[in-house]
Each structure stands twice: as C-alpha cells, then as structure tokens.
Amino acid sequence: MSETAPTSEAPKAKPKAEKPPAIENLPFDEFINTHYLPALTKAFGKQGVSDLQLEFSNSQVRGLWAKGLRQFTVYFSKSDINAQKAFSCADAGRSPSTIEPFLIDERKAPLDLLVFGVIQRLTAQKWLQAN
C-alpha cells in the first residue's frame, strides 16, 4: 500500500485585467475628437461661454465664440499631442497676427494641461469672465 501525500494546490492568481491605454496614448485624431474637444467645451462652459464652436482639421484645433468675434487656434506640428505646439488668438473677427509657442516647457501634454493652457492664455487676454 502506497500512500500519497495530499497535494495542496496554491490558489491560482487572478489574471490581471488589462488596463485600457491612457487617453493620451490613443491615436491623435481619436484623442482630439473624443476627449480634447469635449473637454474644451466643458472648460469654456465653466467660464460662462455658451456659444463655443470648435473645429479640428489639419492638426489644428480652432475655436470661435462671442458670435464669431473671438477665436483661438492650437497648432500641432504633427499628429502627436506631445509634439511642438503653437497658439494664436484674434478678436473683432480679425485674422491672428501672431503665432506663439504653446506649452513649450512641457515634455508631455496630458489632456488637463492642454485644456488649462488654452483657458489660461485666453484669461490672460481678459477674454473669459471678468478678471
């Protein structure tokens, strides 16, 4: 008679659930359309702007409000949110006269920072709520 030692199986580890990729790692067009444009709309709404119109084409995000009299554009040098960016704005229905670097000190550009940068820049122009 041979005795076998009872085998004790160690509890199996649960398979790790795969995390979805960070939204900033999504394809550029998907990130802009699905996350950036809605986040900008929400941020402008918090500033009291209800007539914001956003357009995305050719790696540029353009916003118009105040009955089309005020506008801004965020320029991406290529289809990558972490690539070099530029910013312009114009008032009174004019075309922008200056294009300036945008978020140049940041190596990574998460959604919140991209939104904050636009709001901060336009607040400096005193175009958003009385300040």
Side-chain angles (χ1 to χ4, degrees), residues 28-29 32-33 37 55-62 73-74:
F28 180 72
D29 289 1
I32 297 293
N33 287 308
L37 298 182
E55 176 185 296
F56 169 60
S57 68
N58 299 321
S59 296
Q60 298 177 15
V61 172
R62 183 171 181 224
T73 305
V74 177

Side-chain angles (χ1 to χ4, degrees), residues 92-108:
R94 294 186 215 120
S95 295
S97 60
T98 303
I99 297 175
E100 59 192 46
F102 184 63
L103 301 176
I104 59 172
D105 294 334
E106 308 300 326
R107 288 181 18 171
K108 295 210 177 226

